[in-house]
Amino acid sequence: MRRLTITAVAVLVCAAGLTAAGAAQAKKFGTALTLTEVTKVSDIYASPDKFNGKRVLVQGPIVDVCAEMGCWLAIGSDKEFQTIRFKVEDGVIVFPMSVKGMTAKVEGVLAVSLLSEADQIKQGEEMAREKKTTFDPKTVKGPKTSIQIKGEGAEVK
């Protein structure tokens, strides 16, 4: 019985230590998060107008980071091949490339807009320059809805 008690106490101490270590690893950027309810990226894509102009809290894997200025994160969705951009004001928050692959909780105001072909080509060229890749303007086929979060705060771990 005594051995069982000692083992149980050791397990509880280890679990408490792991929990504390996990909480300590969360790195905060920008303003503190205020929302508690997470909105799924897939729900935003299903009804973007419903969330346009509203504050949202989104959680997911960081699948990409702005390599040039650290001014945006691409957050993966709960659905395959969906991401949402979390864009912050240049220089206000700077995300290091090392956060790529980590999990983020991000909060901000959702912005939905219609991008013209010219805007998409300009964005594509900027992204290609940033990522040192190429961009083919012929891939742009008409106007496109843009969905992004105007970022205010994030927690990454």
Side-chain angles (χ1 to χ4, degrees):
M1 182 70 177
R2 183 175 175 174
R3 180 179 282 172
L4 183 60
T5 303
I6 291 171
T7 302
V9 169
V11 168
L12 288 173
V13 168
C14 287
L18 289 173
T19 302
Q25 291 176 349
K27 186 164 182 169
K28 298 178 181 182
F29 298 89
T31 60
L33 304 182
T34 60
L35 299 177
T36 55
E37 186 177 333
V38 174
T39 302
K40 290 181 179 180
V41 173
S42 61
D43 289 344
I44 293 171
Y45 272 91
S47 306
D49 291 335
K50 176 181 168 187
F51 297 98
N52 191 19
K54 295 189 176 160
R55 179 175 298 281
V56 292
L57 177 67
V58 169
Q59 181 174 357
I62 300 171
V63 296
D64 205 0
V65 180
C66 172
E68 200 166 275
M69 298 179 62
C71 62
W72 57 260
L73 301 173
I75 307 295
S77 172
D78 50 302
K79 287 198 174 176
E80 199 171 8
F81 306 116
Q82 263 184 351
T83 62
I84 193 163
R85 182 179 283 220
F86 178 77
K87 173 74 174 91
V88 298
E89 253 184 80
D90 293 347
V92 174
I93 299 174
V94 178
F95 296 105
M97 290 299 293
S98 61
V99 300
K100 187 174 179 179
M102 299 173 103
T103 299
K105 262 188 185 177
V106 299
E107 184 175 319
V109 177
L110 193 83
V112 179
S113 61
L114 189 63
L115 291 179
S116 68
E117 288 184 29
D119 289 341
Q120 291 176 66
I121 290 170
K122 183 179 174 188
Q123 269 189 352
E125 290 170 346
E126 283 179 24
M127 289 292 280
R129 185 178 58 251
E130 189 176 297
K131 294 183 173 221
K132 298 180 176 53
T133 60
T134 58
F135 171 74
D136 182 2
K138 293 178 188 165
T139 59
V140 176
K141 308 283 185 202
K144 176 182 163 190
T145 300
S146 168
I147 302 171
Q148 73 175 3
I149 300 170
K150 293 182 179 179
E152 296 173 2
E155 291 182 4
V156 175
K157 60 180 177 178

